[in-house]
Amino acid sequence: MRRMTTEEEKATAPAGSTRRAFAGRLSWGLADQAASSISNFAVGICVARSLGVTAFGVFSLAWVTYGVVLNVSRGLATDPLVVRFSGVSDTAWRGAVARSSGTALGVGAAIGAACLVAGLALGGQVGPAFACLGVMLPGLLLQDAWRYSFFAAGTGKKAFVNDLVWGVALVPAMLVAARVGSVAAFVLAWGASATVAAGYGYVQSGILPRTAQAGAWLREQRDLGYRYLVENVSLSGASQLRAYGLGAIVGVGAVGAVRGAELLLGPFLAVLMGLSLVTVAEAARVLRRAPHRLGRFCLLLGGGQAVAALLWGGALLLMPDRLGELVLGDVWHSAAQLIVPVTLGVAGAGLGTGAAAGLRALAAARRSLRCQLFASACYVAGGLGGAALAGTVGSAWGVAAATLAASAVWWLQLRSALREHHQDSIPEVRTP
């Protein structure tokens, strides 16, 4: 007996069950992001309290570099997977995941080797941190690839469990790192616990990553993958340039202060970083099922995040200094001055990600690329220009202004893309 595909099941399912399925997938997405947020927050707090603002700045440079490499992997491997293999048959999904995860693993091995060599050459306090990051990159990227794969299949519960495994493994690893008391030890602990979760991802899926098929995957997805690569790298690369530039203009301690303020808004930054785990897949489903609802879906998504970020930032302004010092230690006093601009920046980014999810679902790679290049240029200019004019606080306000301007551009491009999609679909409806 032939098994029904996911799309056939959707077509025959009652509207109520479809809504319940969507709510279930979204709930698991929120739960997964909560688990990811808690892990990221715990790592940052542990490092900040253990090492102080300068060493925390060094760790933040390694963290920002990881973000760049992660976005390389996502652009080439997992973003095309989510766009083209969400809600497909199990056979098609498994084949795509084997190639996609193999690509992520290959990216981690190649760039990890380069980081290892660079770290050994640098020496000092920064060198060992980057060398350890290079060793850990394959496991970090593979773990992220499993999360994307599970959400593409609509099985967000597996992604949540995988992140939970990472969090559990992180506890003893952080305790050992705290006893060692170096940035390199914390990087190793963070990456090793992710590698444990990456191994468990293979147990969950039963799929062996095929690194030998990475070339085939890149060729198949080149129309989307390379545009997403440029788009993602421009985003994370802008963050890296701002961090390096801020360290050069103001000092490494300023990087730690910005990272401390971002940690206070960690739940929303983690959601933004992994937003496509849930929203692109769901936007693609909305587009297939009810294209006229995509704009409203994106608006609710972005607006909800922006409002939540503003509420959280308002609560942070009311937090007493004693509690802030308990959370961040010596980093609190410099980070507290940045809460308002960082909150506005996160709210603007949250609003923009709603439009970005819609453009991804529409496979409007050219439009999303233009938006991201504009946003990245504004981010670097605002962050470094503000730093030159008014130090760390000026950099934070410059980034906030840049993010809000970029959000407006994202929404203008989504409106144009939706109009084009509607016009293109009219002839299809009239064709007998």
Side-chain angles (χ1 to χ4, degrees):
M1 180 178 177
R2 186 178 73 86
R3 181 181 178 181
M4 293 179 69
T5 66
T6 307
E7 294 299 322
E8 289 173 335
E9 290 172 353
K10 286 179 184 177
T12 58
S17 63
T18 301
R19 286 192 294 269
R20 285 193 297 272
F22 167 73
R25 290 191 298 269
L26 188 59
S27 297
W28 283 118
L30 293 174
D32 176 73
Q33 291 304 330
S36 177
S37 300
I38 291 170
S39 296
N40 292 336
F41 185 76
V43 170
I45 294 304
C46 189
V47 177
R49 289 184 57 82
S50 300
L51 301 181
V53 65
T54 301
F56 185 55
V58 174
F59 181 84
S60 298
L61 290 177
W63 184 283
V64 169
T65 303
Y66 156 71
V68 175
V69 181
L70 179 66
N71 279 301
V72 171
S73 175
R74 287 179 174 176
L76 293 176
T78 50
D79 282 347
L81 175 78
V82 172
V83 170
R84 287 185 166 150
F85 293 91
S86 293
V88 299
S89 68
D90 184 67
T91 301
W93 174 80
R94 293 180 69 84
V97 168
R99 301 191 299 279
S100 174
S101 59
T103 303
L105 192 58
V107 169
I111 302 182
C115 282
L116 176 60
V117 172
L120 294 175
L122 282 172
Q125 195 174 20
V126 175
F130 275 77
C132 293
L133 175 65
V135 174
M136 294 292 105
L137 275 176
L140 284 162
L141 298 190
L142 182 59
Q143 192 274 340
D144 187 72
W146 290 131
R147 297 171 70 211
Y148 268 72
S149 301
F150 294 141
F151 277 107
T155 54
K157 180 179 180 180
K158 290 185 178 181
F160 168 74
V161 172
N162 193 275
D163 265 328
L164 205 59
V165 169
W166 186 0
V168 171
L170 196 60
V171 175
M174 285 288 114
L175 292 175
V176 172
R179 291 178 65 89
V180 175
S182 69
V183 177
F186 278 105
V187 173
L188 284 175
W190 165 52
S193 54
T195 303
V196 171
Y200 184 65
Y202 167 71
V203 175
Q204 290 176 292
S205 65
I207 300 172
L208 183 66
R210 303 288 185 181
T211 54
Q213 296 182 15
W217 174 261
L218 294 175
R219 287 191 297 272
E220 293 169 8
Q221 310 301 328
R222 62 182 178 272
D223 59 325
L224 294 182
Y226 293 116
R227 286 194 176 97
Y228 289 159
L229 170 65
V230 176
E231 181 179 329
N232 290 356
V233 170
S234 69
L235 170 64
S236 53
S239 298
Q240 191 173 27
L241 286 174
R242 187 252 185 139
Y244 290 166
L246 185 60
I249 296 170
V250 185
V252 177
V255 181
V258 170
R259 177 61 186 156
E262 291 173 348
L263 274 176
L264 296 174
L265 283 135
F268 301 99
L269 291 172
V271 167
L272 291 177
M273 186 176 180
L275 189 65
S276 56
L277 289 173
V278 181
T279 54
V280 175
E282 291 304 326
R285 290 185 175 96
V286 171
L287 181 63
R288 293 190 184 104
R289 186 173 62 248
H292 61 284
R293 295 181 181 174
L294 181 60
R296 185 174 64 178
F297 172 83
C298 294
L299 183 60
L300 290 173
L301 172 67
Q305 286 187 96
V307 170
L310 291 173
L311 291 174
W312 185 270
L316 289 176
L317 290 174
L318 302 176
M319 188 165 69
D321 287 341
R322 183 178 301 177
L323 181 57
E325 292 171 358
L326 180 65
V327 174
L328 289 179
D330 294 339
V331 179
W332 162 253
H333 295 288
S334 52
Q337 305 174 47
L338 310 178
I339 289 176
V340 173
V342 170
T343 297
L344 292 175
V346 172
L351 184 62
T353 51
L359 288 175
R360 285 287 176 93
L362 290 164
R366 290 183 180 179
R367 288 186 178 277
S368 62
L369 176 58
R370 288 197 295 267
C371 288
Q372 191 55 65
L373 291 175
F374 173 81
S376 298
C378 289
Y379 184 93
V380 174
L384 298 187
L389 292 173
T392 309
V393 176
S395 179
W397 277 107
V399 166
T403 306
L404 291 169
S407 178
V409 173
W410 279 106
W411 279 101
L412 289 172
Q413 289 294 320
L414 177 61
R415 185 177 67 174
S416 298
L418 287 171
R419 188 184 302 118
E420 287 180 359
H421 179 78
H422 176 68
Q423 291 172 349
D424 291 342
S425 65
I426 291 175
E428 297 178 9
V429 174
R430 292 176 178 175
T431 301

